[in-house]
Amino acid sequence: MLQITCNGKPLTVPEGALLQQTAHQQLSTASVVILNGFQTGEEQPLQDGDSITVIEKGVMPPEDVLEHMMASRHSPHVHARMKQACVGIAGLGGLGSNIAAMLARTGVGHLILADFDTVEPSNLNRQNYYVSHLGRPKAEATAALLHEINPFIRIEHHQVRIDASNAVSIFGGCDIVCEAFDNPDCKAELVSTLLSETKNIRIVAGSGMAGYGSCNEIVTKRRMSRLYVCGDEKTAAENGVGLMAPRVSVCAGHQANMVLRLLLDLDTP
């Protein structure tokens, strides 16, 4: 007999049991079968210790099944680290709204969001919002979107302008804070406050992602022991050089990926 895991629960199957056959025995309507983190439609013999996830396409699975699927996709030790983590995002514009979506998909268990602004039409060219969000506070709209992505993570949102007076009270419990402001002075104030008034919070900041230059110029650099900067560090928005979705999204991806690396103790880019 073989001992496998199906949708997070132990299952004993006979020697020679086949993947697809076993999957449909467990869920007759199964249309997605994931074996050890990889989706496959092929029939193959199961091995002792295999992990399978069996779900119906287009149907939201129960929390325990979704958890098992994500753990399998990410690998269990990675998913466990993400689930235990708390990450703050200061600013929910082009960088922050996209970072938030990526971290929710990555399974970060607790996200703290903060932005004072509301969604308006000029945001739609690069920020993770839709026409239906116009006029809504960005913190509220982002929280709603994240619950649509992953309804089982904890999301705390604040409609407030972050400065030296409230940064620690809002983000003090975070493992990592992503700085995602447009204003250079606000960036500097947040970074300075968190570095000087906390001992362990690491900061992942963005600098230089405007225009349509090569995305290969956007990189991640460690600037201080607890400060990482993502971007090309030179291309600011100005007349004729706007903020556009591709480069902004690439920079947001760098920030989200650096968060993942830090949470996995891979502390150099």
Side-chain angles (χ1 to χ4, degrees):
M1 301 298 285
L2 303 176
Q3 300 298 321
I4 69 169
T5 303
C6 180
N7 287 356
K9 298 175 181 177
L11 179 66
T12 301
V13 297
E15 293 277 354
L18 299 175
L19 171 62
Q20 299 297 332
Q21 184 180 70
T22 301
H24 285 87
Q25 287 172 349
Q26 299 303 308
L27 181 66
S28 61
T29 56
S31 50
V32 176
V33 179
I34 300 169
L35 173 65
N36 299 326
F38 296 94
Q39 183 173 336
T40 178
E42 296 182 3
E43 186 64 284
Q44 56 190 288
L46 288 166
Q47 305 294 323
D48 197 52
D50 276 345
S51 174
I52 65 174
T53 306
V54 184
I55 58 177
E56 186 175 355
K57 186 177 289 187
V59 176
M60 183 64 182
E63 181 175 1
D64 59 340
V65 177
L66 182 67
E67 283 285 314
H68 180 256
M69 181 187 68
M70 291 185 69
S72 179
R73 283 292 212 183
H74 295 155
S75 77
H77 77 282
V78 172
H79 182 67
R81 287 283 189 97
M82 297 304 104
K83 188 175 179 180
Q84 295 165 8
C86 178
V87 177
I89 304 174
L92 297 168
L95 289 178
S97 63
N98 285 298
I99 292 168
M102 293 177 200
L103 294 182
R105 295 186 193 282
T106 305
V108 172
H110 184 188
L111 292 173
I112 299 178
L113 317 174
D115 196 301
F116 71 93
D117 210 353
T118 58
V119 182
E120 47 95 357
S122 71
N123 301 151
L124 300 179
N125 81 316
R126 68 196 183 281
Q127 300 182 18
N128 193 37
Y129 301 110
Y130 303 94
V131 170
S132 61
H133 296 124
L134 292 175
R136 292 182 67 180
K138 289 184 178 180
E140 175 189 293
T142 299
L145 277 168
L146 300 191
H147 278 299
E148 290 292 314
I149 292 171
N150 188 340
F152 305 121
I153 61 176
R154 179 183 172 194
I155 301 169
E156 179 182 331
H157 65 279
H158 303 267
Q159 187 183 2
V160 63
R161 186 185 294 273
I162 299 295
D163 56 28
S165 70
N166 59 16
V168 175
S169 64
I170 290 176
F171 296 121
C174 295
D175 301 301
I176 301 168
V177 173
C178 290
E179 175 279 311
F181 292 146
D182 294 331
N183 187 293
D185 293 334
C186 294
K187 288 176 179 281
E189 184 175 12
L190 175 69
V191 171
S192 177
T193 300
L194 291 180
L195 289 180
S196 63
E197 297 187 19
T198 70
K199 293 183 178 180
N200 300 312
I201 291 177
R202 291 159 292 179
I203 303 166
V204 181
S207 178
M209 74 291 303
Y212 36 82
S214 173
C215 288
N216 294 331
E217 296 177 357
I218 294 176
V219 296
T220 301
K221 296 180 180 179
R222 188 176 187 175
R223 288 304 188 190
M224 300 173 65
S225 62
R226 292 191 286 136
L227 175 63
Y228 298 78
V229 178
C230 306
D232 64 17
E233 298 188 71
K234 62 183 181 182
T235 312
E238 58 185 36
N239 186 22
V241 182
L243 290 162
M244 302 174 70
R247 279 186 120 240
V248 170
S249 298
V250 168
C251 189
H254 269 260
Q255 289 187 256
N257 191 61
M258 194 66 238
V259 169
L260 173 60
R261 290 175 58 79
L262 289 171
L263 291 175
L264 295 174
D265 296 327
L266 304 171
D267 62 356
T268 54

